Amino acid sequence: MQSVALRLIVDRENEIKAFKPEEYWSIQAEVKNKKAEPFLIDLKKKDDKTLDKFAIPNKTTADEIEQDLKNAEYTVASLTEGEKKRSPLPPFTTSTLQQTASARLGYSAKRTMMFAQMLYENGLITYMRTDSVNLSKESLVFAKEYLSQTFGNEYALETPRTFKGKSKLAQEAHEAIRPTSTATAEDITVKEEGARKLYRLIWQRFMASQMPEARFKTRKLEVDAKGNSTYQLTTSGSQLVFDGFLKVFSQKFEEREIPEVTEGEKLTLAQVIPTQHFTEPPPRYSEARLIKTLEEFGIGRPSTYVPTISTIQARNYVEKDAGKFKPTEIGEMVNKLLVEHFPQIVDLEFTANMEEEFDKIASGKADWRKIMKEFYGPFHKNLEEKMAEVNKEHNEEVVDEKCEKCGAQMAIKFGRFGKFLACTAFPDCKNAKPLKENEPQKTGVKCPECGDELVAKRTRGRGRRLFYGCNNYPDCDFATWEDPTKVPPVARTAEEKQAALEKRKKKEAAKAAKGKK
């Protein structure tokens, strides 16, 4: 799984590097009638032909349409009213809990599971490693009673709502993740505020799953514009009529009012608004998106997502940049080696198929000896061949620098935390030192506390996270995770400085005590 996860991240990075933005334009018109305020309508058709995303490719085409629309006559062609319903999502599984906690609370998958474990051990939620969306009869009964008593009968379903799992790997061994009672987050006793927030999320999602749909009144307006060509412009809006499950589990929605107009009514043009756009590369994977992608491909289990993500970070194959995964140089190199020499191991379908084979073994439908023999025989043979074939020296780059200890040539080598300089006479000479490109990088931004420059550095040990600290360290210990060239740094308060000083002293004391032992 770690190899597949790394490949997904590297492949996405290669897509981003190869991406070339493409220009396109959209056009809106601001119109009004005698009674209403001006409102915007979007250009959708020209001469009865639907305009797709790239139908207006450049400014020249946009200018031609803009000029024609400025001289066109606008008439209300149709006004359609209707109702739209929004249904609640199923209660949480492990993966959907991790994804939603990431999006709503900013929790990593590891932190989410730590808090979930805490809640489970305190008897507040059901088992938190599950791929099932089933709910017990007991939970459906107490949910209905609570909702009708607290919010009224209109917020409780007559018949409980059930869900069907979508995951290819769902084993349905447990219930969905839900609270074990109707106790709200304010009623429970937990020390960690983070655990309380996660409980609130679980409670809201479960209760919402047993509440009616939210209902919206919708209106769609179509306007004809006749110039040298005939155009159709549209707008739509909706208004909340009944909040339903949104009462306990909020979701983003936009209420947009459509002015009171009648079919055949003439409208007056206020302005035409052409807008230039460029396509954007696919985004890097967040933890939530990576987990969802692995699940969609049928890779992994509820218990494996956290260790998979933790492992590729701990080995410094990937790092986080603004909350999204980016491969490190060593990660790209490892992935390249695996793809070239062990393509089967990093193949998405192969990994998913192996998961299915393991399911068959677990259910007694397949012999584990046969499956392991079919896999391990060819794999072991290929591994022995590659061990002899792959020469590790291709990862070294000899540089024009002599070792100051023995006079041999120095070379750039790859370690767990990236590139470094080492003597080619190793192991006879063990001289090694950091590469200049790994040294602190200047940012050109002044420290808000002492006026010296902030420099980009990396933390020590596992993870090697990028941070920005004062060049005057240790005399000034200001540091921030935010890029100061994008987010202006703010000086700490006196209390924050004191807390940081005490934390630093404790860390140094612990290090000194460990050294004495």
Side-chain angles (χ1 to χ4, degrees):
M1 271 191 69
Q2 291 94 332
S3 301
V4 173
L6 176 61
R7 181 173 185 176
L8 285 169
I9 293 167
V10 173
D11 285 352
R12 177 58 55 86
E13 193 68 21
N14 290 335
E15 285 181 59
I16 293 170
K17 289 176 182 176
F19 179 80
K20 293 181 180 179
E22 189 174 348
E23 181 184 9
Y24 67 98
W25 288 70
S26 64
I27 295 179
Q28 292 179 306
E30 187 179 47
V31 294
K32 61 181 178 179
N33 62 4
K34 293 179 180 180
K35 299 177 183 178
E37 291 291 322
F39 58 94
L40 293 173
I41 49 178
D42 304 304
L43 177 62
K44 295 297 182 183
K45 290 184 178 180
K46 180 183 178 182
D47 295 330
D48 291 326
K49 183 180 179 182
T50 301
L51 301 175
D52 62 24
K53 184 176 181 178
F54 299 103
I56 309 174
N58 50 49
K59 190 176 187 303
T60 302
T61 307
D63 287 345
E64 289 174 359
I65 295 175
E66 178 187 6
Q67 194 58 44
D68 199 11
L69 285 172
K70 282 182 177 179
N71 300 316
E73 290 184 357
Y74 293 80
T75 307
V76 176
S78 66
L79 181 63
T80 309
E81 294 188 349
E83 185 178 84
K84 180 177 68 175
K85 295 180 180 180
R86 180 182 289 192
S87 299
L89 294 166
F92 284 127
T93 61
T94 302
S95 65
T96 56
L97 176 63
Q98 291 169 355
Q99 292 165 43
T100 308
S102 173
R104 293 203 173 203
L105 304 177
Y107 290 176
S108 66
K110 187 174 183 179
R111 192 177 185 206
T112 296
M113 296 312 292
M114 178 187 73
F115 287 141
Q117 181 75 36
M118 191 182 299
L119 294 170
Y120 173 68
E121 289 175 356
N122 281 276
L124 296 170
I125 63 170
T126 53
Y127 191 57
M128 67 287 165
R129 292 187 179 89
T130 177
D131 46 24
S132 171
V133 288
N134 290 332
L135 293 167
S136 68
K137 290 182 179 178
E138 176 194 12
S139 68
L140 296 173
V141 170
F142 74 62
K144 182 178 180 179
E145 289 177 355
Y146 176 85
L147 292 169
S148 59
Q149 291 172 10
T150 307
F151 304 114
N153 291 331
E154 67 270 27
Y155 286 96
L157 297 172
E158 283 295 324
T159 305
R161 184 183 287 111
T162 57
F163 299 90
K164 188 176 180 181
K166 294 181 180 179
S167 172
K168 299 176 186 177
L169 305 174
Q171 295 176 316
E172 308 292 338
H174 303 279
E175 271 191 85
I177 303 171
R178 64 164 178 86
T180 53
S181 72
T182 59
T184 65
E186 289 68 35
D187 297 331
I188 64 171
T189 304
V190 288
K191 292 181 180 179
E192 291 283 349
E193 183 58 28
R196 189 184 304 279
K197 289 180 180 178
L198 188 68
Y199 178 84
R200 182 180 291 110
L201 195 65
I202 294 168
W203 185 94
Q204 290 172 337
R205 178 86 166 229
F206 163 67
M207 287 296 179
S209 75
Q210 296 307 308
M211 296 177 74
E213 302 151 319
R215 299 197 306 273
F216 297 83
K217 178 184 176 182
T218 62
R219 302 182 83 196
K220 183 179 179 181
L221 175 66
E222 293 184 353
V223 175
D224 287 341
K226 292 186 177 180
N228 294 328
S229 296
T230 301
Y231 302 91
Q232 186 183 87
L233 300 94
T234 67
T235 187
S236 59
S238 63
Q239 289 180 298
L240 184 65
V241 176
F242 176 64
D243 54 1
F245 75 94
L246 296 175
K247 195 170 189 69
V248 299
F249 193 69
S250 62
Q251 291 183 5
K252 289 183 179 179
F253 64 89
E254 182 184 358
E255 287 191 279
R256 187 178 175 188
E257 192 173 346
I258 301 296
E260 291 294 334
V261 294
T262 56
E263 289 186 12
E265 183 180 359
K266 299 293 183 183
L267 300 174
T268 304
L269 176 69
Q271 62 175 324
V272 178
I273 309 169
T275 306
Q276 183 185 39
H277 307 274
F278 289 94
T279 54
E280 295 182 352
R284 292 187 177 118
Y285 285 104
S286 61
E287 278 201 17
R289 182 67 248 187
L290 182 61
I291 290 169
K292 188 173 183 180
T293 303
L294 290 170
E295 188 178 35
E296 285 171 351
F297 278 109
I299 298 168
R301 292 280 184 243
S303 59
T304 58
Y305 298 125
V306 171
T308 295
I309 291 171
S310 298
T311 299
I312 59 177
Q313 286 181 282
R315 291 178 180 170
N316 200 40
Y317 295 159
V318 302
E319 61 186 4
K320 278 191 174 180
D321 182 2
K324 303 291 180 68
F325 286 120
K326 178 182 178 182
T328 61
E329 198 166 9
I330 188 96
E332 289 183 333
M333 190 173 70
V334 168
N335 181 70
K336 183 181 178 183
L337 186 143
L338 289 172
V339 170
E340 287 180 0
H341 301 285
F342 303 95
Q344 186 184 34
I345 301 302
V346 290
D347 180 76
L348 297 174
E349 288 188 8
F350 167 77
T351 308
N353 289 337
M354 283 300 292
E355 297 276 8
E356 291 180 9
E357 295 293 341
F358 292 152
D359 281 345
K360 291 177 182 177
I361 294 171
S363 61
K365 295 179 181 178
D367 182 2
W368 68 269
R369 298 173 187 82
K370 182 185 177 197
I371 290 173
M372 292 306 296
K373 185 178 180 181
E374 289 174 353
F375 162 73
Y376 189 72
F379 172 76
H380 183 65
K381 182 181 178 182
N382 184 47
L383 182 62
E384 287 186 326
E385 291 174 355
K386 296 302 179 183
M387 288 290 284
E389 178 185 328
V390 178
N391 187 347
K392 292 183 180 179
E393 289 183 2
H394 78 280
N395 293 332
E396 297 182 7
E397 179 186 342
V398 177
V399 296
D400 188 20
E401 184 178 336
K402 299 286 185 180
C403 174
E404 60 267 28
K405 292 185 177 180
C406 73
Q409 216 58 41
M410 296 292 283
I412 298 174
K413 295 190 177 184
F414 282 90
R416 185 172 184 177
F417 303 120
K419 293 179 179 178
F420 66 97
L421 277 178
C423 183
T424 54
F426 181 87
D428 297 326
C429 177
K430 297 181 180 179
N431 183 29
K433 56 186 178 181
L435 200 60
K436 285 185 179 180
E437 66 181 50
N438 291 335
E439 293 176 358
Q441 302 295 308
K442 295 180 179 181
T443 64
V445 179
K446 289 185 177 181
C447 172
E449 294 183 3
C450 75
D452 207 324
E453 187 174 13
L454 294 179
V455 292
K457 302 179 181 180
R458 289 194 178 275
T459 56
R460 295 178 182 178
R462 293 185 177 183
R464 300 279 288 170
R465 285 185 66 188
L466 186 68
F467 73 99
Y468 303 87
C470 184
N471 195 43
N472 195 26
Y473 181 85
D475 294 329
C476 176
D477 63 352
F478 177 84
T480 176
W481 296 111
E482 301 286 353
D483 185 344
T485 62
K486 297 177 182 177
V487 181
V490 179
R492 298 167 294 178
T493 63
E495 291 79 9
E496 288 172 335
K497 285 185 180 181
Q498 185 60 35
L501 179 62
E502 290 176 2
K503 186 177 179 180
R504 183 175 155 195
K505 285 180 178 179
K506 284 181 182 179
K507 193 173 180 180
E508 289 174 351
K511 189 176 180 181
K514 189 177 180 181
K516 288 179 181 179
K517 289 181 182 178

